[in-house]
Amino acid sequence: GLTDLRGECRAILEPTIRDHGGVVDKCIGDAVMAVFGFPGPNDSAAERCLACAHAMLGRLKIWSEERVLAGQPPVSIGVGMHFGEAFAGVVGRDDLLEFTVIGDTVNIAERVERLSRKFDTDIVVSGPFAEAAKLDSHSTGWVMETGQTITGHSRPIDVFYFCGELS
């Protein structure tokens, strides 16, 4: 069922995130939120995050193909990434405390992920993420889209989406 599907997907995604130096912050429904550059800023965080996305998509592609061969429906995901400062710490009340990452950076990352459906692609990153990961309009496999409107923000943002082949 759906619970098995989510569990299998998490069993692929979570170790891949950890292998690339990320921290799984939470799983909500069918979403996994991961943080790179924690506990402190790190010059390679964006590049590790991007490498992680490619690795996750590669592993999920193999799993999806195995599912199809077994007569099950394929799976696919969208990945959205943003780069910036966020609050990381324990929030809540005495009876319900949780460690989390919150802030506008988190909100923008989630909105950027939604653009993966608009562009029919697996990976979309914000302009600040692209800059941190050293991507530009000449990067192989990447397309820049300027002036994208995202929910909750009055100023449009530039994004890059991946249309190349996974290695």
Side-chain angles (χ1 to χ4, degrees):
L2 182 58
T3 303
D4 294 337
L5 179 70
R6 286 180 51 211
E8 289 177 50
C9 190
R10 285 178 62 178
I12 294 169
L13 299 180
E14 291 179 11
T16 307
I17 292 165
R18 285 191 300 272
D19 289 349
H20 286 83
V23 175
V24 175
D25 177 55
K26 65 178 58 102
C27 297
I28 307 167
D30 64 352
V32 175
M33 186 173 108
V35 179
F36 290 77
F38 178 82
N42 185 305
D43 289 343
S44 68
E47 283 123 333
R48 286 184 293 110
C49 183
L50 190 55
C52 178
H54 283 285
M56 287 189 313
L57 290 165
R59 291 175 183 163
L60 283 173
K61 181 180 179 189
I62 292 167
W63 176 54
S64 185
E65 290 168 354
E66 291 169 353
R67 288 178 51 82
V68 170
L69 289 174
Q72 299 171 319
V75 294
S76 64
I77 63 169
V79 178
M81 295 177 260
H82 182 55
F83 187 86
E85 292 186 13
F87 168 81
V90 178
V91 297
R93 301 183 317 260
D94 291 339
D95 58 340
L96 183 61
L97 295 173
E98 72 172 323
F99 176 85
T100 193
V101 178
I102 57 176
D104 203 39
T105 297
V106 175
N107 298 334
I108 292 172
E110 188 269 336
R111 281 12 179 263
V112 168
E113 184 278 328
R114 290 182 195 175
L115 293 173
S116 67
R117 296 177 254 326
K118 175 180 178 178
F119 297 120
D120 191 26
T121 188
D122 297 323
I123 305 174
V124 181
V125 304
S126 69
F129 182 93
E131 184 177 331
K134 300 173 181 70
L135 295 174
D136 62 30
S137 58
H138 303 293
S139 297
T140 304
W142 290 91
V143 175
M144 181 179 182
E145 289 286 339
T146 58
Q148 296 301 302
T149 304
I150 58 171
T151 307
H153 285 268
S154 57
R155 292 193 332 251
I157 66 168
D158 296 340
V159 298
F160 290 75
Y161 66 89
F162 187 70
C163 63
E165 291 294 317
L166 293 172
S167 50

